[in-house]
Amino acid sequence: MRRRLRLRGDALLTLLLSAALGLLLYAQRDGSARTTRAPPALRRAAPGPTPGLRAFQASDSGAAPPVYEGDTPPPPTPTGPFDFGSYLRAKDQRHFPLLINQPYKCRGDGARGGRPELLIAVKSVAADFERRQAVRQTWGAEGRVQTALVHRVFLLGLPRGAGTDWPEVEGEGTPTHWLSLLRAESREYADILLWAFEDTFFNLTLKEIHFLAWASAYCPNVSFVFKGDADVFVHVGNLLEFLAQKDPAQDLLAGDVILQARPIRKRASKYYIPEAVYGLPAYPAYAGGGGFVLSGTTLRRLANACAQVELFPIDDVFLGMCLQRLQLTPEPHPAFRTFGIPQPSAAPHLRTFDPCFYRELVVVHGLSAADIWLMWHLLNGRRRPTCAHPRPVAAGPFQWGP
Ligand SMILES: *[C@@H]1O[C@H](CO)[C@@H](O)[C@H](O)[C@H]1NC(C)=O
Ligand SMILES: *[C@@H]1O[C@H](CO)[C@@H](O)[C@H](O)[C@H]1NC(C)=O
């Protein structure tokens, strides 16, 4: 009975939000100018991430961020049991051609002018056009934000099953079909990077090393890079405020840091890692792949370091291994919530839609395209939300501003 009531509540909320989104989209359809107004003082977010196994248990314990029905396809996740044998055999093959490039993205003579101080790189999959549009038109918009010049790229591989041999067949779902769609998208937005490997969950590590190599080759002078998933909401104003205190010539990699995570040894888990693949009892410290920020210096050093680390099927752990090789530790930042928001017991659904909550964060993971739209417009609209916590609550090791 209670469950049914809750379900009805959910349906009602979805209906309300859809209506609100429709109105917002209608009101914004002329494409109003981007405004990013960071609040002058920010309250420290709720207690920082608790280290441990969380990242790997999310799917088993049911604590994963809410799933939205009727949303665009989620990033590819593994289906059957992972074939470690063939992974180990194939892992020396780690260089794949770049099929769609953006060679001028970071050049002063590029179409959109100016060298970027912040490059936003978003992991996406070919079919997820809707989410890319949401990111383009909200937090991932290119141009000047405060004083920084922000540019954006999406990182893609080939859709599963498309293969890499490019048979000369036309038609829906074939490689040529995808390639021509993505080429058209690239002509329109100049933000698509496509590599010739299969875009699967366990190939995200390939995406990582290809992106690092690309960015150090084509964006050698970028100050900072934000790298994240397409289902995150990023408060770029807060991010830039944090970066304003940092020197791009120094090492920096900040995010939702996980310490001492133990490899999952249960065969049934999608994160199962046999001892033969990783024998140590704990992974090195790493930042959750949902969203983290790094300096240009660290980017170039990581590109070199990762080229010497054996491929590991979990991309954020792999990056932790590269950091370890450089003897760097990622910097924990409590406003990066790459594992979603803990839901309070009262009004479990409302809080994730509270703009005051997002106002204090840098990255929140696990949002649908509609949520991203809604939050962006609530936070940046003409009518600013009135929040219950106008003053920062000083606590913990991290503080905004000087
Ligand atoms: C990664 O991509 C390569 C090249 O497309 C493919 O052969 C391989 O099966 C993929 N690996 C995984 C683990 O999905
Ligand atoms: C990077 O900066 C150096 C020195 O300022 C300059 O010579 C070079 O052209 C720049 N590269 C790009 C791609 O902007």
Side-chain angles (χ1 to χ4, degrees):
M1 185 61 199
R2 273 178 69 183
R3 190 172 150 71
R4 196 179 299 164
L5 273 177
R6 255 191 63 183
L7 284 177
R8 273 167 86 186
D10 282 1
L12 209 67
L13 189 72
T14 309
L15 210 68
L16 270 170
L17 286 169
S18 311
L21 180 70
L23 276 173
L24 273 168
L25 292 183
Y26 182 75
Q28 302 280 335
R29 85 206 133 115
D30 299 326
S32 59
R34 176 202 176 93
T35 50
T36 301
R37 280 166 283 175
L42 295 143
R43 187 170 74 89
R44 187 183 180 269
T50 41
L53 278 164
R54 202 162 43 105
F56 297 97
Q57 286 183 333
S59 60
D60 304 332
S61 65
V67 177
Y68 297 85
E69 272 182 55
D71 196 12
T72 49
T77 43
T79 43
F82 185 51
D83 181 357
F84 281 99
S86 63
Y87 186 82
L88 292 177
R89 280 192 297 278
K91 86 177 169 175
D92 287 333
Q93 202 205 338
R94 47 194 290 164
H95 300 288
F96 291 87
L98 183 56
L99 301 173
I100 299 179
N101 191 7
Q102 306 299 333
Y104 307 116
K105 182 54 71 180
C106 295
R107 290 230 199 112
D109 54 3
R112 312 212 176 179
R115 282 192 269 128
E117 282 93 42
L118 177 67
L119 176 69
I120 291 176
V122 183
K123 292 182 269 183
S124 183
V125 292
D128 214 352
F129 177 74
E130 188 188 334
R131 247 190 238 276
R132 285 196 291 282
Q133 278 302 79
V135 171
R136 279 179 186 125
Q137 289 165 33
T138 58
W139 60 267
E142 296 194 308
R144 263 194 199 279
V145 181
Q146 294 167 9
T147 55
L149 191 56
V150 176
H151 281 186
R152 170 195 68 236
V153 284
F154 288 103
L155 317 175
L156 289 96
L158 294 173
R160 188 169 218 156
T164 46
D165 43 353
W166 302 99
E168 297 298 313
V169 250
E170 298 280 343
E172 199 161 321
T174 64
T176 29
H177 168 79
W178 279 114
L179 192 61
S180 51
L181 276 181
L182 290 171
R183 285 214 169 111
E185 193 179 333
S186 167
R187 273 195 298 277
E188 181 72 21
Y189 300 103
D191 60 4
I192 300 286
L193 294 177
L194 173 70
W195 287 279
F197 55 79
E198 226 177 23
D199 211 341
T200 61
F201 180 79
F202 288 111
N203 265 347
L204 286 176
T205 302
L206 284 178
K207 210 174 252 193
E208 188 78 63
I209 56 175
H210 283 84
F211 168 68
L212 290 172
W214 180 86
S216 23
Y218 291 99
C219 298
N221 295 339
V222 71
S223 299
F224 297 102
V225 176
F226 172 84
K227 181 164 180 282
D229 286 335
D231 62 342
V232 299
F233 180 85
V234 182
H235 196 309
V236 178
N238 288 355
L239 178 62
L240 290 171
E241 206 169 293
F242 167 64
L243 294 176
Q245 314 154 41
K246 302 287 182 183
D247 176 4
Q250 300 283 312
D251 275 313
L252 169 76
L253 192 143
D256 194 351
V257 173
I258 297 95
L259 299 167
Q260 294 289 316
R262 286 194 299 269
I264 297 287
R265 305 293 189 199
K266 274 188 301 186
R267 274 169 191 280
S269 166
K270 80 170 182 181
Y271 294 107
Y272 165 64
I273 295 292
E275 308 227 346
V277 174
Y278 190 82
L280 298 180
Y283 291 132
Y286 67 93
F292 56 87
V293 68
L294 65 162
S295 68
T297 300
T298 304
L299 172 93
R300 290 182 290 276
R301 297 186 66 203
L302 273 177
N304 285 328
C306 287
Q308 294 158 33
V309 174
E310 267 199 83
L311 288 192
F312 186 77
I314 302 172
D315 66 334
D316 37 16
V317 174
F318 172 77
L319 201 66
M321 295 171 175
C322 306
L323 283 173
Q324 192 180 40
R325 201 181 168 90
L326 293 171
Q327 296 183 320
L328 292 179
T329 38
E331 179 180 328
H333 191 311
F336 283 65
R337 299 300 188 81
T338 59
F339 299 106
I341 307 151
Q343 297 198 339
S345 48
H349 301 289
L350 286 177
R351 187 159 167 200
T352 48
F353 292 103
D354 177 359
C356 297
F357 184 67
Y358 285 76
R359 204 181 62 145
E360 298 154 358
L361 293 171
V362 173
V363 178
V364 183
H365 195 228
L367 300 188
S368 68
D371 297 341
I372 292 174
W373 270 105
L374 196 58
M375 284 329 301
W376 176 259
H377 290 296
L378 286 175
L379 275 170
N380 295 284
R382 240 161 292 152
R383 291 184 53 190
R384 309 283 306 283
T386 338
C387 298
H389 309 288
R391 299 232 60 97
V393 179
F398 174 78
Q399 281 217 287
W400 290 102

